[in-house]
Amino acid sequence: MTAPNGAATPLSRYGTRVPTVSPRKGRTSVPTPTPTAGTTAARPVVTPTATISTMIVCLPDGLPSQALTATQLDRHFGVSGALQPRFWASPSMWLWQRRHLVAPRKGRPVYCAGGPVKLLDLAAMRHAAGVGAGIRHQLWQRVVHGTRPATPWSTLLARHLADPARYPRERAVADFHHQPRVNAMRMHNAASHGGGYLSVGELEMFQAGPMAYQHYSASTAVCGDALLTPDGHKLAPASDALTHWVTYLEQANRYLDTVEADQRLIAVAL
């Protein structure tokens, strides 16, 4: 006897009746295997270390200028590197204020390794870097025209680190360099040595679009690759992936936009 209105017949996810299928005699249903203790259901997620070549250090109040040597930087901040002339001095700076700059150089604009924020032209640095990035991206578009989007190196490196035995580093390097878009960029660099260089390390940033690449270049011109606050807190991207760079630049820009005018900054090449 059947149940009235099909009460014994289950409903599918779309509301239709699905007949119940009974297993044949002599057959037993095979249970679904469940992972046992000690087995890995999925590959581990590994985040490669970010490439940090330039760090912006916010100096604590009262730190003497004698502390801005290579050995003293390591002692005070745990940073092994040398001062890097990276910042532009403000064109409205008085001549007597030059002594407050760190390692200033001759020329216009005046390059220096740092100084008080009020004497640094951070806005001009961002603008110039953004304009240059816009021109560079137009060149990149012509160079890679007709090629498909490529897999960034950070993605292939993460895949290698997650399973080195199955995906060795040599294969990751080969897979990256065998992509037509990467080869187009390398061929351009080989043919135009010294001018219009296109870094394959910025492939993911280029592929994000012209505005994204301009914002990225303008922000890194001021924020560098990492930032150290006066209390020793370090801001840095978690990896070379664009999503981690966006997070870092968002935090670093917000921090620099809120510092006092007398806050001293220095750039250190690691």
Side-chain angles (χ1 to χ4, degrees), residues 66-156:
Q66 292 80 3
L68 304 182
T69 62
T71 56
Q72 294 297 320
L73 287 173
D74 192 14
R75 175 184 175 185
H76 287 277
F77 307 107
V79 176
S80 298
L83 294 175
Q84 181 190 59
R86 181 187 186 90
F87 293 105
W88 290 5
S90 174
S92 60
M93 176 185 63
W94 296 96
L95 185 60
W96 61 269
Q97 293 178 309
R98 188 183 178 95
R99 61 188 177 88
H100 295 296
L101 300 177
V102 179
R105 293 188 175 184
K106 296 181 179 180
R108 296 184 67 87
V110 176
Y111 273 92
C112 62
V117 171
K118 63 184 178 182
L119 299 183
L120 304 178
D121 200 349
L122 303 184
M125 291 175 61
R126 289 189 179 103
H127 178 73
V131 171
I135 298 173
R136 194 159 54 251
H137 196 277
Q138 290 180 355
L139 172 63
W140 176 82
Q141 287 180 311
R142 294 197 300 270
V143 168
V144 302
H145 180 71
T147 61
R148 293 180 298 177
T151 302
W153 166 244
S154 60
T155 302
L156 298 176

